[in-house]
Amino acid sequence: MHPALASTLSAVDPEIAELIALEEVRQRDKVRLIASENYVSGAVLAATGSILTNKYSEGYAGKRYYEGQQYVDRIETLAIDRAKAVFGAEHVNVQPYSGSPANLAIYFAFLKPGDTVMGMALPAGGHLTHGWGVSITGSYFKAVQYGVREDTHRVDMDAVRELARKERPKLMFAGGTAIPRTIEWAAYAEIAKEVGAIFAADMAHISGLVAGGAHPSPIPYADVVSTTTHKTLRGPRGGMLLCTAAHAKAIDRAVFPGLQGGPHDHTTAGLAVALREAQQESFKTYAHGIVANSRALAAAMIEHGFTLITGGSDNHLILADLTTKDVSGKIGAKALDAAGMELNYNSIPFDKRKPFDPSGIRIGTAAVTSRGMGAPEMKQIAAWMARAIAAPADAALHATIAGEVRELCAKFPAPGLLI
Ligand SMILES: *Cc1c(COP(=O)(O)O)cnc(C)c1O
């Protein structure tokens, strides 16, 4: 936080100031392997924490319901133009509050309650909002779900086609939260076209890779693309929808007034800054660095006896099955957290354990790449992981490793942190 703002905050609310300061230290000292997290730049933080939070601007640039939009209109237009340039999209809406509301807007734009949506099942690596039962998308709509093959743990496109032909969904999602491999957008698009479905590509996890040219773009294939703005894209917390000109009106109406009130203008400004950063040459290096690090970490983990779902990684994400290490995902994740490496426990395809204590852990390399770590550090991290997991109850060992982790982190200052 900016020192001047930090002193204001601690004067007004020392409790919250203290907790934020502690969290900043935690973010500094830990190896952050949570696949959905990252470190935004100081510039993104500055825009997001700005006086724009004071403004209301329901509507769209040039068509607002409130006055005083002289600067907000320019900010939102800049964010949109930059998103169009980065992703090559015909139309962009930067107002969704986050990834889940962005997906909900797609349903509202194209479906009526009870219509059929097809998406990847959550336990196979999909997202809640792609029709999973506990989500509004699985209870207000008829959801049919595809998974992965039991032998390869990859999506079986023949099975997807068969299901689509049988169920004739109106909307079809591709993408997910625990997919370690390249997503074949063109194959989904072909199936959606055949059955007359709207094809929605959810690139929430990988939009930074797409922006940097390290993963194929869904834009040429999808009717609408949704994304979060805060994962690999490295912007503020938010969501974004990109679509063809033909769907522009439906998408805009679904977001506002369909689903939301005023957009979060401070977030829009932060997003505009992140998208400017994504246009720099250094962002390409970052995006390709994420993939190189994921491959290096996967290879090193395999050397240390870890079992990886699909046997490796093409993107930023690794899904490991800890069954062969004789610990559950939750126990493994807690041991790693104690040893200074934060990640999340995760279901693996065909998991025999329950979701609250599944067999796997999910690992992402975006945040460590943002810190400038590379192949030697990935090797070191894999070695620490193996040591910590081999002795899941050894608090002294975990504390020792956490100290070594802290020393490594000190050599790679995280963007945006002032300590
Ligand atoms: C993270 C994610 C979302 C939801 O984003 P939130 O900002 O957490 O609401 C949606 N879809 C996918 C594939 C995601 O990974």
Side-chain angles (χ1 to χ4, degrees):
M1 198 182 302
H2 189 281
L5 294 179
S7 66
T8 308
L9 177 59
S10 43
V12 173
D13 190 337
E15 255 180 307
I16 288 293
E18 166 77 0
L19 290 170
I20 294 175
L22 288 170
E23 169 66 13
E24 194 167 8
V25 170
R26 202 192 61 77
Q27 292 193 14
R28 179 192 67 188
D29 291 347
K30 278 197 156 167
V31 164
R32 168 167 269 198
L33 297 171
I34 294 179
S36 49
E37 293 186 357
N38 213 328
Y39 295 97
V40 299
S41 68
V44 169
L45 278 180
T48 309
S50 71
I51 48 81
L52 288 167
T53 200
N54 299 336
K55 192 68 196 111
Y56 239 101
S57 53
E58 280 186 7
Y60 292 102
K63 290 167 284 186
R64 305 279 190 189
Y65 291 80
Y66 294 75
E67 295 311 314
Q69 309 298 343
Q70 290 84 351
Y71 307 110
V72 164
D73 273 6
R74 286 166 66 181
I75 289 168
E76 190 171 318
T77 303
L78 268 174
I80 289 168
D81 288 346
R82 289 175 186 172
K84 283 182 181 172
V86 166
F87 293 104
E90 289 176 6
H91 180 77
V92 175
N93 187 309
V94 293
Q95 295 193 4
Y97 298 144
S98 211
S100 304
N103 282 348
L104 209 49
I106 298 176
Y107 286 82
F108 196 54
F110 300 111
L111 266 55
K112 294 270 178 277
D115 283 348
T116 302
V117 58
M118 184 166 144
M120 194 178 198
L122 185 70
H127 190 260
L128 283 164
T129 54
H130 297 184
W132 191 240
V134 298
S135 154
I136 186 170
T137 62
S139 58
Y140 284 21
F141 302 92
K142 184 190 170 208
V144 294
Q145 306 257 278
Y146 58 88
V148 292
R149 287 174 62 106
E150 198 153 5
D151 53 350
T152 59
H153 292 158
R154 296 189 188 225
V155 178
D156 181 345
M157 293 314 294
D158 292 334
V160 172
R161 183 177 294 106
E162 204 174 299
L163 186 65
R165 281 180 179 161
K166 180 164 160 262
E167 301 286 351
R168 313 291 299 184
K170 240 180 155 175
L171 172 65
M172 201 175 110
F173 270 100
T177 61
I179 303 172
R181 296 296 185 172
T182 302
I183 301 170
E184 311 290 341
W185 306 116
Y188 285 99
E190 196 189 296
I191 294 168
K193 196 167 174 199
E194 185 193 323
V195 302
I198 292 281
F199 174 37
D202 185 342
M203 62 170 183
H205 260 266
I206 52 172
S207 52
L209 303 184
V210 171
H215 186 289
S217 171
I219 298 289
Y221 307 104
D223 293 296
V224 53
V225 175
S226 72
T227 184
T228 53
T229 49
H230 48 270
K231 295 177 183 173
T232 51
L233 190 57
R234 212 162 58 181
R237 304 302 287 240
M240 183 159 63
L241 289 165
L242 310 94
C243 64
T244 57
H247 298 307
K249 251 198 186 136
I251 285 294
D252 281 355
R253 268 202 216 122
V255 174
F256 174 85
L259 202 61
Q260 300 186 170
H264 294 176
D265 299 318
H266 57 300
T267 303
T268 307
L271 174 58
V273 175
L275 289 165
R276 185 186 171 93
E277 291 172 353
Q279 288 173 305
Q280 312 304 312
E281 205 51 39
S282 55
F283 198 86
K284 289 199 183 93
T285 311
Y286 152 74
H288 288 279
I290 291 173
V291 177
N293 277 341
S294 192
R295 292 215 167 107
L297 183 57
M301 286 180 72
I302 289 168
E303 272 179 35
H304 285 284
F306 283 94
T307 303
L308 306 189
I309 300 300
T310 75
S313 170
D314 294 332
N315 50 25
H316 66 302
L317 191 143
I318 297 165
L319 195 57
D321 176 2
L322 294 189
T323 311
T324 49
K325 291 278 188 189
D326 285 328
V327 289
S328 73
K330 194 175 192 172
I331 288 174
K334 292 206 176 299
L336 291 170
D337 190 56
M341 292 164 280
E342 54 168 333
L343 42 69
N344 66 287
Y345 54 86
N346 213 96
S347 291
I348 56 168
F350 307 97
D351 207 327
K352 293 190 181 67
R353 303 181 61 92
K354 296 254 180 309
F356 199 58
D357 188 11
S359 301
I361 49 171
R362 190 183 68 158
I363 299 152
T365 54
V368 290
T369 307
S370 289
R371 292 186 88 140
M373 292 182 186
E377 289 73 38
M378 297 307 111
K379 271 194 154 170
Q380 177 62 73
I381 289 167
W384 280 327
M385 289 174 79
R387 264 170 72 203
I389 279 185
D394 190 341
L397 172 70
H398 296 158
T400 305
I401 297 174
E404 293 167 23
V405 166
R406 203 156 44 237
E407 273 175 39
L408 178 78
C409 286
K411 293 189 206 138
F412 295 92
L417 307 192
L418 285 180
I419 54 169

